[in-house]
Amino acid sequence: MRRLPVVAGALALLLSACAHKADVNTGGKVRVATTISTLNSFVQGVGGEYVSVKNIVPIGASPETFAPAPQDVATVADADVLVENGAGLETWLDNLLRDSGKRTLHVVVCAQGLPVKNLNPHLWMDPVFAKHYVAKIRDALIAADPAHSVAYRRNAASYDRRLDHLIGQIRQQIATVPPSHRYMIVFHNAWQYYNDRFGITTLGFVERNPGQEPNPQQVAQLIDLAKQHHVHGVFSEPEYSPKILYAIAQGAGITVVEDLYDDSVGTDPRVANYIAMLTYDTNVIVHALK
Ligand SMILES: [Zn+2]
């Protein structure tokens, strides 16, 4: 008889947990907030029909220079799980978390435990590392919503297989570029981990720090490097103004490629999710370097 109150207590807890899930206006789905849109693909891939995902940095905006608005505070306040990259990418997130007043939030720091180089946060651009992101998101969704753990495990395993396929495709494509052509100059250093994984050398990048333009000496250096290594192109993203890239390209007599996607997916279906984006980027890079 003495055990009864404990059991009743546990039952009450369970019931209130169910009630909480049932009365959210997302139809009982786990509410996930992601900082950048590239991470959405991983959450959608693992969570499928059991999650509703909201993104904080808008598609086409740069996470390095982002400033949160009041609706972003609401997004975090409403979330059950927050998925961030970490490794110094989201410098604005601590304030946002504080302003949301949120105390019970599963926070997933995707890059945690991965080998960060030169304080560069763009680890997701290596699809081998992306598998670690997927595993972390899977574990967080299971913790937040254990009832669907079987589905989360199954979806994560299936997404992993898609990443393995992608990795194989990228290797095959890069293999068609002569080794002496495997050099890139990029606008901002989002390509370090991808390039290191697939045997491309990042010769230089234009923007040393977010929002900081290079001085004339640094521009001259990049032009020299491009000429020395017979670089075929300088690469940028739609969210940046590549004026300075044109100066470098003109100086070195090479072309500008303006449509790589990395920090943000695009609205075009060809680049609307992570796997599509890396497939598209690889085509663009291989075409330019050949
Ligand atoms: Zn970036």
Side-chain angles (χ1 to χ4, degrees):
M1 283 306 282
R2 276 194 183 176
R3 279 189 188 168
L4 200 58
V6 180
V7 173
L11 199 65
L13 255 177
L14 263 174
L15 284 173
S16 74
C18 294
H20 168 75
K21 287 273 179 260
D23 69 17
V24 294
N25 54 13
T26 50
K29 295 185 182 195
V30 181
R31 293 160 302 184
V32 184
T34 53
T35 54
I36 57 172
S37 53
T38 37
L39 304 180
N40 269 18
S41 310
F42 306 142
V43 178
Q44 297 285 11
V46 179
E49 62 192 296
Y50 302 116
V51 296
S52 117
V53 193
K54 268 196 176 174
N55 193 51
I56 296 172
V57 180
I59 288 179
S62 159
E64 285 95 346
T65 52
F66 175 70
Q71 77 259 22
D72 302 314
V73 177
T75 298
V76 172
D78 286 345
D80 303 308
V81 177
L82 173 77
V83 178
E84 64 164 304
N85 181 71
L89 181 75
E90 300 99 338
T91 50
W92 36 267
L93 189 58
D94 280 348
N95 286 346
L96 187 54
L97 279 170
R98 193 201 52 219
D99 293 348
S100 77
K102 191 85 177 176
R103 293 190 177 275
T104 54
L105 185 65
H106 296 266
V107 179
V108 189
V109 186
C110 292
Q112 204 167 52
L114 287 170
V116 177
K117 295 176 190 168
N118 310 321
L119 303 175
N120 188 334
H122 302 85
L123 292 103
W124 67 88
M125 291 302 291
D126 175 352
V128 175
F129 290 163
K131 295 170 81 170
H132 293 257
Y133 282 50
V134 168
K136 285 217 174 73
I137 290 165
R138 175 200 64 204
D139 293 346
L141 291 180
I142 290 174
D145 177 26
H148 296 115
S149 60
V150 172
Y152 296 140
R153 280 184 215 288
R154 188 185 54 224
N155 293 348
S158 144
Y159 201 88
D160 258 13
R161 284 193 294 275
R162 294 176 62 198
L163 286 172
D164 281 333
H165 180 73
L166 173 72
I167 293 161
Q169 296 276 94
I170 297 175
R171 281 195 208 287
Q172 267 180 24
Q173 290 247 72
I174 305 280
T176 66
V177 178
S180 64
H181 292 206
R182 293 180 199 162
Y183 291 98
M184 280 171 79
I185 288 176
V186 296
F187 185 82
H188 96 294
N189 200 8
W191 293 87
Q192 176 165 22
Y193 299 99
Y194 174 98
N195 283 357
D196 288 356
R197 178 67 63 193
F198 298 111
I200 297 173
T201 302
T202 315
L203 267 185
F205 44 94
V206 173
E207 196 185 58
R208 311 250 145 181
N209 291 301
Q212 190 193 325
E213 291 231 324
N215 60 38
Q217 273 167 321
Q218 289 166 332
V219 172
Q221 250 172 21
L222 287 170
I223 292 173
D224 281 349
L225 273 172
K227 284 179 173 167
Q228 259 172 45
H229 294 268
H230 307 288
V231 171
H232 283 222
V234 282
F235 297 86
S236 185
E237 298 87 346
E239 61 260 36
Y240 295 107
S241 147
K243 223 163 72 186
I244 198 90
L245 273 188
Y246 278 97
I248 295 166
Q250 211 173 20
I254 56 180
T255 53
V256 176
V257 178
E258 288 181 51
D259 57 343
L260 286 188
Y261 292 80
D262 38 56
D263 289 356
S264 166
V265 297
T267 47
D268 187 306
R270 289 174 301 168
V271 289
N273 64 68
Y274 179 82
I275 288 175
M277 176 184 97
L278 276 198
T279 304
Y280 175 87
D281 283 340
T282 302
N283 279 329
V284 170
I285 291 169
V286 166
H287 181 75
L289 296 188
K290 261 186 174 174

